Amino acid sequence: MRLIWLVVLAACAAAQTTQEKLEVPPPPFSDGIFPCTNCHAGMKPDRTRRTLVAMHDNIVLKHDAEHRWCLDCHDPDNRDTLHLASGEPVPFEESYRLCGQCHGEKLRDWKAGVHGRRTGNWNGAKKYLLCATCHNPHEPRFKAIAPKPAPKPPSRPGQSTGEKATHGN
């Protein structure tokens, strides 16, 4: 009995540590900037928090900027990957694992199909959009959208403009 219990516990622990591979589209990279090692190969990582210039001057970090810096997510030794807080490398195709470290409830909802977009079968294969497909990872909050005017009620040919259409007309 004790052996069975140990086997069950070991199986549960293995299931929790194994990351399930999810089908996602390619990450939405800006044209001409990936692979990052094209420019960063041989460059010593600069961990100094600063305003970026040159190639990355369009990036303004508004994602917990008081506590975060580029190399908290981007791997300093292999710029073609990200990394978890533990240091484990994560490919850009699995960036949801990185986001989920701080946004666990969103990751849970995303996997369940409640947050973000998921297509596929309820009981079969599913395709997910990455967090970065909808959210800019450097500035994830959506910008405000100006409201559009209310829709005009439908009218029938020959009906005057001020007259409202009803089911009886």
Side-chain angles (χ1 to χ4, degrees), residues 31-51:
D31 289 336
I33 68 159
F34 191 83
C36 305
T37 51
N38 283 347
C39 297
H40 286 275
M43 287 175 70
K44 185 179 177 198
D46 183 354
R47 298 178 187 274
T48 310
R49 194 180 307 261
R50 65 194 182 282
T51 301

Side-chain angles (χ1 to χ4, degrees), residues 100 103-115 118 128:
H103 305 283
E105 76 289 350
K106 297 294 184 214
L107 177 64
R108 179 200 62 217
D109 292 348
W110 176 79
K111 283 182 176 180
V114 177
H115 183 98
R118 181 181 79 179
Y128 297 79

Side-chain angles (χ1 to χ4, degrees), residues 1-2 13 29 35 40-41 55 61 65 73 78 102 105 109 160 166:
M1 180 66 176
R2 188 174 203 168
F29 294 123
H40 286 275
M55 283 303 294
L61 188 62
C73 299
N78 179 358
C102 297
E105 76 289 350
D109 292 348
S160 68
T166 65

